[in-house]
Amino acid sequence: MKHQTISIRNDNGTEVLAQAPLIISASRATDIPAFYADWFFRRLDEGYIRWRNPFSGQDSYVSFKNSRFIVFWSKNPKLLLPYLSVLKERGIGCYIQFTLNDYEAEGLEPNIPPLEQRIETFRSLVDGLGIGAVVWRFDPLIFTDKINIDTLLEKIAHIADALDGYAENLVFSFADIASYKKVSRNLHQSGIDYREWDEESMREFASRLSTWNRDNWNFRLTTCAERIDLSEYGIEHNRCIDPELISRLSPEDIVLQNFLYNAKTDNGQRKACGCILSKDIGAYNTCPHGCLYCYANTSPASAGANYKKFLANPLTDIII
């Protein structure tokens, strides 16, 4: 299954070919709601964006003509609040993958708002979109000389208490530092003595989290792109671009429902990923949150420099 290709005119008036996906992912590669929300909704009005392939460096076009659903990914999606009515007027559904971690004491996420402000943003978005349309992610689970399983469970419990009645799911993953040399380098340069998860520690965490959850909150627990099977603890594999959730949130959209009925797993993602086909429109190395464990940036400095370039030309049709 592929996205439809149509002809559009770009900002220069040139006729070009563009992908026209039904589902937009905004974005795994950068935090569009936190830093590019105005740009995104301006481009939605213009009808398309230009997207650069991170591997080939080639530009292509993505049209919003057929778009019927958007999955947003963010650590600070507060700027989406005034735009929710825009999506509703256009008949475009959405949900938000909200990464709500607590690494304040460790300084791992230096440029995001205080935790309590982010919790309040989560609640406000649920008030606007409804429960289920804002998905709680504690992602990734970082293991260091100062953060152990007890620490992580305490951090999760604090947020879980605050989101009880506002969130249905808790999505998590175990940080795999060794697979990303740039992440390992950035952590070492910042003086973070990280540890790798092994199967024993993963299972201990899963068992204890499952017990706490059953006794206190009853969230649906899922892992993101993890190969390990934790089903014995009641923990499932997540689908972050989830056909069941999209279907539930857009029950009257017949075109979208037909697409979801036949949707296949997106083979452009990691092997353990269960997401269905969507078009991600973000760009790596453009998120200035500065998270020390981030795999999407070469370094916090390079991402910050790219963001400054964007701010100098915010009317462009491309992020980077």
Side-chain angles (χ1 to χ4, degrees), residues 91-141:
I92 297 176
C94 79
Y95 64 79
I96 302 166
Q97 294 280 353
F98 193 148
T99 300
L100 186 53
N101 300 334
D102 176 11
Y103 294 123
E104 286 188 316
E106 298 80 14
L108 295 178
E109 300 171 331
N111 298 329
I112 60 174
L115 176 60
E116 299 309 316
Q117 288 185 25
R118 288 178 282 133
I119 289 173
E120 186 57 37
T121 294
F122 193 107
R123 291 175 169 179
S124 296
L125 287 164
V126 173
D127 289 340
L129 291 171
I131 190 166
V134 188
V135 180
W136 176 29
R137 306 174 70 91
F138 199 111
D139 179 32
L141 296 165

Side-chain angles (χ1 to χ4, degrees), residues 3-32:
H3 304 299
Q4 181 185 5
T5 300
I6 64 173
S7 178
I8 66 169
R9 290 196 179 276
N10 65 16
D11 289 354
N12 297 325
T14 304
E15 189 170 327
V16 295
L17 293 178
Q19 298 178 62
L22 268 71
I23 301 173
I24 296 288
S25 170
S27 155
R28 295 179 180 93
T30 193
D31 196 326
I32 286 177

Side-chain angles (χ1 to χ4, degrees), residues 26-27 32-33 40-41 70-74 80 87 94-97:
S27 155
I32 286 177
F40 176 82
F41 283 93
I70 301 168
V71 178
F72 292 103
W73 310 67
S74 184
L80 287 182
L87 295 175
C94 79
Y95 64 79
I96 302 166
Q97 294 280 353

Side-chain angles (χ1 to χ4, degrees), residues 6 156 192 196 266 271:
I6 64 173
I156 288 172
I192 305 298
E196 292 290 349
D266 187 350
K271 289 184 179 180

